[in-house]
Amino acid sequence: MARKADEPLVLGIETSCDETGVGIVRGHTLLADAVASSVDEHARFGGVVPEVASRAHLEAMVPTIQRALKEAGVSAKDLDGIAVTAGPGLAGALLVGVSAAKAYAYALGKPLYGVNHLASHICVDQLEHGALPEPTMALLVSGGHSSLLLAPDITADVRPLGSTIDDAAGEAFDKIARVLNLGFPGGPVIDRYAREGDPDAIRFPRGLTGPRDPAYDFSFSGLKTAVARWIEAKRAAGEEVPVADVSASFQEAVVDVLTRKAVRACKDEGVDHLMIGGGVASNSRLRAMAQRRCEDAGIILRIPRPKLCTDNGAMVAALGAEMVARGRAASSWDLSADSSLPVTEPHVPGHDHGHGHSHDHDHFHELSKDNLYS
Amino acid sequence: MLLLALDTATPAVTVALHDGDSVVAESGEVDARRHGELLLPAVDRVLAEAGRKLADVTDIVVGVGPGPYTGLRVGIVTAATFGAVLSVPVHGLCSLDGIAYAAGQAGLTGEFVVATDARRKEVYWARYADPRTRLTEPAVDRPAELTEKLAGLTAVGAGAVLYADAFTDVRADLPQHQSAAALASLAAEKLRTGGEFLPDQPLYLRRPDAQVPANYKVVTPK
Ligand SMILES: [Zn+2]
């Protein structure tokens, strides 16, 4: 297949959690970003219910692909490749997207690229701010992950510097929102209340910031407990809980640790750019504090617009386009959904390198640790 | 006419190609945990064996279950995507009907019941007047609860074999697993005679497992 060196036209499919995303890009240009979310169906459960998400993905899959094509105004036959999130994520949810992507690529006769969800969160910034600097320092914060990653080559070399040892940052927002009876998801609503509160009203703990703590790991579980305990004490004393002050002070503690460690990582590694992605990157206080601290440290901050920070298909297409542009091997037709795909694997190349799709099915194939039926 | 039939509702990952007269190629593998990996290579193999291209396909036939969710969706989303790209109709069939039809092809006559493994100590099942005529809506139950209701009936399918004690006349000699070849033959017959199909939507029969978290856990020690 002829490869367009600079501006490949790629369709990306994302189904790792509760958003069915289909995006289309041409090189670094965003052409379509269609998303169908099942978030409302999960709200009453206070968290994403895997089976509910998988059912919703199946219903939304084909219509969302068609919506994206229409939005982009391109013909499917002109695509240079189909990219899909192969992992990490919810096993059953990933499988819907991977199956659809394979069928789509096969039917169109296009190469398939199974890519890593976390690397996609980083690569999406190419649609906003152009080519990623090399290396890229990235802080990924969402309901599923909180990681500091150093990427010398987003298609082939992504190194984890640190990550959360307990809850993800977004998870902490969800849990505190539940304690405050603010509903699900917690991020946007806490951000809103926090704007009217005093971030210094209550001094909540900053996890893993002691001199002997790991420099780049995060912990939000102790903070969550401290906030819940503080609220319960107020309630037990019959006092009203100052929701705005609690929100602002809790958010301040999270954002303080995230930005402090990210800037430290940039300085330690001699990297003059910081990329922040993931759903929590939409948080207004995180954006503001990161901006100020980066300016003070002489670091250029790159945060995509909020819609590109949350899970979407455009980020998958962005990474897929980079795979095509750099001539990375396509995936095989027996590509599996890997719920625990390591961040060190930006994509899942086929067994028969250089040829794209393999027709040899007699290889050893490792099963995912997770039983897809559990 | 060129029918591509596929079914991933049971532990079998099965694909067949039917030209309107007969099955021209088929594939069946039983591996309950690898539907996602096995299906596309099987489609590719079946097409290659028949010397045809996906673009030659005029109709897609898909088993819509009932079946354990995760595997079931692999076949349905694949069928739906093929249908959308090729602009051809996607015909849904109850997966139990394929097993019933295969039992008929193997010589079974009269009334019988088809049961597949629904996991969690349950079976998906339906009752048939003959291999082409289903009498009941597919259902999911514990085998012991069916013993009285289905007493005296011949039973086919892996679910009947697995819980042989709960059924009367279990025919382990008949095909136990779904075969897309049978599903394709049944569909070809229906297309010829104007029979009805189901939409390409999964028959889950169970509500999603979803625990509503209890009010948030109190963390203050009492
Ligand atoms: Zn994400």
Side-chain angles (χ1 to χ4, degrees):
Chain A
M1 172 158 305
R3 198 178 279 133
K4 287 168 204 160
D6 46 350
E7 300 240 291
L9 183 65
V10 172
L11 179 141
I13 295 176
E14 150 65 31
T15 63
S16 69
C17 193
D18 61 336
E19 323 276 357
T20 311
V22 180
I24 299 174
V25 307
R26 191 187 298 282
H28 297 169
T29 308
L30 176 65
L31 301 182
D33 180 19
V35 177
S37 178
S38 61
V39 66
D40 294 343
E41 294 172 56
H42 304 286
R44 68 193 174 99
F45 302 113
V48 173
V49 180
E51 176 59 20
V52 172
S54 298
R55 291 185 182 193
H57 286 311
L58 176 59
E59 278 177 40
M61 197 69 257
V62 171
T64 310
I65 291 175
Q66 287 173 334
R67 190 149 57 86
L69 281 170
K70 204 173 158 202
E71 202 178 303
V74 298
S75 166
K77 66 178 194 313
D78 294 331
L79 291 167
D80 294 306
I82 309 299
V84 63
T85 304
L90 302 170
L94 287 167
L95 191 54
V96 176
V98 168
S99 301
K102 281 192 215 179
Y104 202 63
Y106 185 82
L108 291 168
K110 308 290 183 187
L112 171 76
Y113 296 87
V115 301
N116 190 299
H117 181 81
L118 300 182
S120 301
H121 265 306
I122 299 173
C123 201
V124 73
D125 195 47
Q126 299 205 134
L127 306 177
E128 191 86 300
H129 299 110
L132 286 171
E134 292 186 333
T136 291
M137 181 67 71
L139 170 67
L140 289 192
V141 273
S142 75
H145 23 261
S146 307
S147 317
L148 263 171
L149 303 166
L150 183 65
D153 176 346
I154 196 63
T155 64
D157 186 5
V158 178
R159 304 168 192 177
L161 297 183
S163 63
T164 180
I165 60 167
D166 40 57
D167 296 342
E171 222 177 326
F173 274 89
D174 288 339
K175 285 178 178 167
I176 295 308
R178 197 187 303 162
V179 179
L180 289 169
N181 299 315
L182 300 179
F184 171 86
V189 65
I190 286 188
D191 192 356
R192 214 159 49 237
Y193 273 102
R195 276 172 218 176
E196 280 131 47
D198 174 6
D200 301 319
I202 312 144
R203 177 74 192 179
F204 288 127
R206 270 66 168 159
L208 293 186
T209 52
R212 272 188 295 277
D213 287 329
Y216 309 132
D217 282 340
F218 303 103
S219 166
F220 298 107
S221 172
L223 168 64
K224 182 192 71 193
T225 306
V227 176
R229 205 168 270 169
W230 193 93
I231 294 167
E232 281 161 20
K234 280 277 166 196
R235 284 180 182 150
E239 291 173 42
E240 203 179 316
V241 176
V243 175
D245 283 349
V246 171
S247 297
S249 299
F250 157 73
Q251 178 175 279
E252 194 73 2
V254 173
V255 166
D256 179 21
V257 176
L258 289 173
T259 54
R260 201 191 303 179
K261 294 201 174 207
V263 168
R264 159 101 190 260
C266 286
K267 285 182 177 163
D268 291 354
E269 297 287 335
V271 176
D272 62 356
H273 281 69
L274 173 65
M275 185 273 159
I276 306 184
V280 178
S282 317
N283 181 277
S284 64
R285 182 63 186 141
L286 174 62
R287 295 174 93 97
M289 194 186 282
Q291 188 63 53
R292 189 174 46 88
R293 288 188 170 171
C294 281
E295 265 167 33
D296 291 350
I299 295 165
I300 296 165
L301 179 65
R302 297 171 58 127
I303 311 183
R305 78 197 82 150
K307 184 151 190 266
L308 294 179
C309 287
T310 48
D311 292 349
N312 62 78
M315 67 191 216
V316 179
L319 183 53
E322 201 58 38
M323 294 293 170
V324 176
R326 298 196 183 207
R328 301 292 174 219
S331 301
S332 312
W333 295 127
D334 68 351
L335 172 71
S336 53
D338 184 350
S339 59
S340 49
L341 184 69
V343 67
T344 47
E345 293 174 28
H347 84 304
V348 185
H351 331 287
D352 183 7
H353 293 267
H355 178 264
H357 298 126
S358 165
H359 291 274
D360 168 23
H361 308 296
D362 299 328
H363 60 282
F364 169 75
H365 205 103
E366 200 180 338
L367 283 175
S368 163
K369 276 183 298 207
D370 297 57
N371 177 358
L372 294 182
Y373 294 89
S374 62
Chain B
M1 180 192 277
L2 190 64
L3 290 177
L4 174 68
L6 41 99
D7 191 307
T8 60
T10 68
V13 176
T14 176
V15 178
L17 212 53
H18 193 292
D19 67 4
D21 293 324
S22 62
V23 173
V24 292
E26 63 177 290
S27 163
E29 294 160 282
V30 178
D31 187 340
R33 295 185 176 198
R34 294 182 59 209
H35 290 104
E37 288 138 77
L38 297 176
L39 181 60
L40 225 288
V43 170
D44 190 39
R45 206 163 51 236
V46 164
L47 284 166
E49 221 178 280
R52 308 297 291 263
K53 297 237 168 304
L54 187 66
D56 302 334
V57 168
T58 59
D59 295 83
I60 312 275
V61 178
V62 62
V64 295
Y69 325 139
T70 307
L72 174 60
R73 279 188 286 262
V74 170
I76 294 176
V77 79
T78 301
T81 307
F82 281 163
V85 177
L86 304 175
S87 297
V88 300
V90 181
H91 310 289
L93 279 176
C94 172
S95 296
L96 300 173
D97 292 0
I99 296 170
Y101 190 86
Q105 287 178 315
L108 185 64
T109 54
E111 248 188 81
F112 62 96
V113 57
V114 173
T116 59
D117 183 9
R119 294 164 182 258
R120 303 182 201 175
K121 299 185 176 132
E122 292 184 319
V123 291
Y124 295 116
W125 67 278
R127 196 168 162 160
Y128 290 80
D130 61 64
R132 289 177 179 79
T133 316
R134 181 157 42 81
L135 295 171
T136 61
E137 287 299 313
V140 59
D141 286 293
R142 285 180 171 264
E145 288 159 12
L146 300 173
T147 304
E148 210 171 305
K149 199 189 300 192
L150 304 174
L153 276 181
T154 293
V156 301
V161 175
L162 186 59
Y163 299 103
D165 293 351
F167 295 92
T168 318
D169 172 27
V170 177
R171 294 286 303 272
D173 57 314
L174 294 174
Q176 291 177 31
H177 290 291
Q178 176 68 303
S179 128
L183 209 62
S185 301
L186 172 61
E189 218 178 276
K190 279 179 180 266
L191 285 170
R192 232 180 2 255
T193 58
E196 282 186 17
F197 290 94
L198 298 173
D200 61 344
Q201 308 288 322
L203 298 173
Y204 290 121
L205 306 195
R206 286 182 183 132
R207 298 166 73 83
D209 294 320
Q211 293 287 315
V212 180
N215 271 344
Y216 88 94
K217 216 167 116 220
V218 175
V219 291
T220 309
K222 290 262 155 67

